[in-house]
Amino acid sequence: QVHLVESGGGSVQAGGSLRLSCAASGISKSAYCMGWFRQAPGKERERIATIFIGGSSSHVEDSVLGRFIISQDNAKNTMYLQMNSLKPEDSAMYYCAADPTIRAWMCSTSDDFAYWGQGTQVTVSS
């Protein structure tokens, strides 16, 4: 059974930084697609960044490019999202997702992931 556990959310002032972590367990493949999404109240879920675990490909959406960095630790089956220069509009519930059936070439544009974490709240005050 696949489990994704996010951590690292919290409250921060504008301009601050946070690092989110997502630990995956129960995925038998050594290479698979993972992603970070966020959803603010009253808004649609937004894809933030994706990474192909066990590979070298990653993608960060234009909306956060230059401020957010996605990375992985293969040994720990963990994905990270370093968020810098945070803005109040970054406030949202952040979710990680994983899907071992998504191929590397599809990873950066996928929204329909099979497995989701419980979410971690990020609040940025002005």
Side-chain angles (χ1 to χ4, degrees), residues 2-96:
V2 176
H3 286 287
L4 302 177
V5 180
E6 300 109 332
S7 60
S11 297
V12 65
Q13 289 191 327
S17 298
L18 286 172
R19 189 177 82 152
L20 305 183
S21 300
C22 176
S25 61
I27 298 178
S28 58
K29 287 189 175 182
S30 59
Y32 51 94
C33 180
M34 293 189 75
W36 285 104
F37 294 76
R38 67 184 180 187
Q39 188 167 21
K43 294 188 176 182
E44 293 187 355
R45 186 178 66 197
E46 176 188 12
R47 184 177 63 242
I48 297 299
T50 58
I51 191 165
F52 199 75
I53 301 295
S56 60
S57 63
S58 65
H59 178 77
V60 177
E61 296 299 323
D62 289 345
S63 58
V64 298
L65 187 63
R67 298 190 298 120
F68 290 13
I69 301 169
I70 189 170
S71 62
Q72 61 176 296
D73 184 332
N74 288 353
K76 296 181 179 180
N77 289 328
T78 299
M79 173 180 66
Y80 302 97
L81 186 68
Q82 178 67 43
M83 305 186 295
N84 301 320
S85 301
L86 283 162
K87 304 175 181 180
E89 51 264 43
D90 293 319
S91 296
M93 185 71 80
Y94 283 69
Y95 298 91
C96 71

